[in-house]
C-alpha cells in the first residue's frame, strides 16, 4: 500500500517554505533599497548582521541568517566594488600612507607609500572592512619598531656582518705581495729541511717542522685562492648591502608615516582592530548631522 502524507503535514511544510521565501524576498528588497539609497551602513548590516549588532549596537544575541545572506554570494565582487568608493575615501584620511589598486573587480591591493620601491603590503577586504596584510611584510615592520626602541635598524646586523666580510676580503687583496714573499721563504725552508741531515733522534722534530711549514704554505695558498675571487665577492656583497640599506630606508619611511598619523605602532594596531566599527560609526554621525539640519 502506498504511503499517504497527512494533509496537515503538507500544510506545515508549505507554511515553512512560504516563510523562507518571504524572508529571502524581504532581505533582497532591503538590500536593493539600501543600494538605491546609497546606504552603505545598511548594506554592511545586511551582509553580516551578527558582526554589525556586536560592533555597532553592542548586542551579542543577534545571529546571521545564512539562508538569506548566501543569496548574494555571487555578487560579492560587485558589492565590494560598489562599497569601495566610500571606504577608500575614508581610509585616505584615516590611513594617508596607504594606496590602493583594484587589480580585479572588487579586489584591491594595498601599497605602503608613494615613494620609490614602495611595498605591496597586502589587500583590502572591502566587505569585511579589514586589511589582509602580507604577513612577511608586517613582521618586518613590527620588528623594525621593536629594534627602533634600542636605536637599531632592521638590517643593521646583516649589513655589519657583510661589511666585515668585505674588509677581510680587501685585506687579502692588499696583502697578496706579502704572502708571495712569505711563501718563497717557506719554500726555501722546505728545501733546506729536505737536504739537511741530522742525528736519528732529531728526525721526529724535523718531520714536525716540515709538516708545520707545509700547513702554513697550504693556508697561504688558500688565502691566495680567496683573494683571486675577492673582487667579485666584494661587488656581490656591496649589491646585497645596497638592497638591505634600501629596505632599511623604506622601513624608516613606513615607521615615520605610522608615527605621524597614529603616534605609536600600538595605536596603529588598535585602529586596525577597530576599523569596522570606526568606519560604520561615521555613517551614523553623518545621519545625526543631517537630522539636526
Amino acid at each position: 500500500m502506498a504511503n499517504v502524507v497527512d494533509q496537515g503535514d503538507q500544510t506545515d511544510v508549505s507554511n515553512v517554505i512560504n516563510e523562507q521565501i518571504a524572508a529571502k524576498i524581504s532581505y533582497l528588497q532591503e538590500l536593493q533599497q539600501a543600494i538605491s539609497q546609497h546606504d552603505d551602513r545598511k548594506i554592511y548590516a545586511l551582509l553580516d548582521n551578527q558582526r554589525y549588532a556586536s560592533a555597532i549596537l553592542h548586542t551579542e544575541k543577534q545571529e546571521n541568517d545564512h539562508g538569506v545572506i548566501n543569496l548574494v554570494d555571487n555578487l560579492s565582487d560587485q558589492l565590494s566594488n560598489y562599497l569601495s568608493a566610500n571606504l577608500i575615501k575614508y581610509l585616505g584620511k584615516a590611513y594617508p600612507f596607504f594606496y590602493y589598486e583594484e587589480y580585479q573587480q572588487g579586489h584591491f591591493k594595498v601599497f605602503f607609500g608613494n615613494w620609490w620601491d614602495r611595498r605591496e603590503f597586502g589587500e583590502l577586504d572591502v566587505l569585511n572592512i579589514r586589511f589582509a596584510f602580507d604577513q612577511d611584510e608586517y613582521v618586518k615592520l613590527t620588528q623594525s619598531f621593536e629594534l627602533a626602541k634600542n636605536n637599531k635598524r632592521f638590517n643593521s646586523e646583516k649589513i655589519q656582518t657583510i661589511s666585515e666580510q668585505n674588509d677581510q676580503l680587501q685585506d687579502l687583496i692588499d696583502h697578496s705581495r706579502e704572502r708571495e714573499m712569505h711563501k718563497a721563504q717557506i719554500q726555501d725552508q722546505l728545501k733546506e729541511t729536505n737536504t739537511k741531515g741530522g742525528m736519528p733522534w732529531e728526525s721526529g722534530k724535523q718531520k714536525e717542522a716540515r709538516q708545520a711549514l707545509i700547513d702554513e704554505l697550504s693556508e697561504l695558498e688558500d688565502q691566495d685562492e680567496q683573494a683571486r675571487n675577492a673582487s667579485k665577492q666584494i661587488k656581490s656583497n656591496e649589491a646585497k648591502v645596497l638592497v638591505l640599506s634600501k629596505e632599511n630606508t623604506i622601513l624608516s619611511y613606513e615607521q615615520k608615516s605610522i608615527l605621524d598619523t597614529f603616534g605609536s605602532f600600538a595605536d596603529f594596531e588598535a585602529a586596525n582592530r577597530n576599523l569596522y566599527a570606526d568606519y560604520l560609526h561615521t555613517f551614523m554621525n553623518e545621519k545625526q548631522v543631517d537630522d539636526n539640519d
Side-chain angles (χ1 to χ4, degrees):
M1 182 175 180
N3 292 329
V4 178
V5 178
D6 185 85
Q7 191 65 34
D9 291 341
Q10 286 185 324
T11 302
D12 290 342
V13 171
S14 178
N15 288 338
V16 170
I17 292 173
N18 286 331
E19 287 174 3
Q20 288 296 315
I21 291 173
K24 294 177 189 294
I25 291 172
S26 175
Y27 176 81
L28 291 174
Q29 286 176 335
E30 283 191 81
L31 183 61
Q32 184 181 39
Q33 183 180 25
I35 292 173
S36 298
Q37 295 176 351
H38 301 282
D39 190 347
D40 288 15
R41 180 196 60 80
K42 182 63 175 178
I43 296 171
Y44 278 112
L46 289 167
L47 291 175
D48 192 342
N49 185 57
Q50 185 177 39
R51 186 182 184 194
Y52 183 85
S54 175
I56 306 301
L57 305 179
H58 304 294
T59 57
E60 301 295 336
K61 295 183 179 180
Q62 295 284 347
E63 291 186 4
N64 284 327
D65 184 349
H66 295 287
V68 294
I69 290 176
N70 292 341
L71 290 172
V72 294
D73 277 352
N74 62 338
L75 292 175
S76 59
D77 290 349
Q78 291 86 348
L79 285 170
S80 178
N81 173 272
Y82 176 86
L83 292 167
S84 67
N86 283 331
L87 177 58
I88 289 177
K89 182 179 179 181
Y90 169 82
L91 294 174
K93 296 178 180 179
Y95 296 78
F97 43 81
F98 281 158
Y99 295 82
Y100 310 90
E101 176 189 318
E102 188 173 17
Y103 64 92
Q104 179 183 325
Q105 186 179 45
H107 296 263
F108 297 84
K109 292 180 180 178
V110 178
F111 293 90
F112 202 132
N114 60 351
W115 44 75
W116 49 267
D117 281 0
R118 66 181 182 174
R119 296 175 188 270
E120 183 180 324
F121 209 65
E123 296 204 9
L124 173 64
D125 183 344
V126 176
L127 295 184
N128 290 298
I129 314 179
R130 70 180 185 90
F131 293 111
F133 293 129
D134 180 290
Q135 285 305 298
D136 290 338
E137 299 300 339
Y138 196 80
V139 167
K140 287 180 184 178
L141 182 63
T142 304
Q143 291 179 350
S144 70
F145 269 101
E146 287 298 316
L147 289 167
K149 294 177 182 178
N150 296 316
N151 296 317
K152 294 182 179 181
R153 304 182 75 182
F154 184 71
N155 290 316
S156 294
E157 289 188 4
K158 292 180 182 178
I159 291 174
Q160 179 64 29
T161 299
I162 294 173
S163 297
E164 290 174 356
Q165 183 184 25
N166 272 4
D167 289 342
Q168 293 171 359
L169 292 170
Q170 188 60 52
D171 186 69
L172 288 173
I173 294 173
D174 294 341
H175 291 85
S176 295
R177 183 173 179 79
E178 287 88 337
R179 282 196 304 278
E180 287 300 320
M181 294 174 62
H182 194 186
K183 285 194 296 182
Q185 292 175 350
I186 293 174
Q187 287 167 349
D188 288 341
Q189 288 177 285
L190 284 172
K191 291 178 182 178
E192 185 177 348
T193 58
N194 286 335
T195 57
K196 184 177 180 182
M199 300 299 292
W201 57 83
E202 293 180 337
S203 60
K205 292 182 179 180
Q206 289 176 351
K207 288 179 180 179
E208 290 178 4
R210 175 180 171 78
Q211 187 59 49
L213 291 172
I214 291 173
D215 291 343
E216 188 175 0
L217 183 61
S218 177
E219 182 179 347
L220 291 170
E221 288 174 346
D222 288 343
Q223 291 176 6
D224 281 344
E225 180 63 27
Q226 293 178 49
R228 283 191 285 272
N229 299 315
S231 295
K232 182 178 179 180
Q233 185 61 49
I234 287 173
K235 289 182 180 179
S236 176
N237 285 346
E238 288 173 345
K240 292 178 184 177
V241 168
L242 181 60
V243 170
L244 294 171
S245 297
K246 284 183 177 180
E247 186 172 52
N248 273 350
T249 301
I250 296 300
L251 285 167
S252 69
Y253 288 163
E254 293 173 357
Q255 291 176 59
K256 184 178 185 303
S257 297
I258 289 174
L259 293 176
D260 288 346
T261 302
F262 294 98
S264 72
F265 187 65
D267 288 338
F268 167 69
E269 292 187 303
N272 298 336
R273 290 192 298 270
N274 298 326
L275 180 57
Y276 179 89
D278 290 345
Y279 175 57
L280 292 184
H281 273 128
T282 63
F283 292 102
M284 301 176 73
N285 294 335
E286 287 174 3
K287 186 178 186 303
Q288 291 174 355
V289 171
D290 291 341
D291 291 344
N292 291 334
D293 291 343

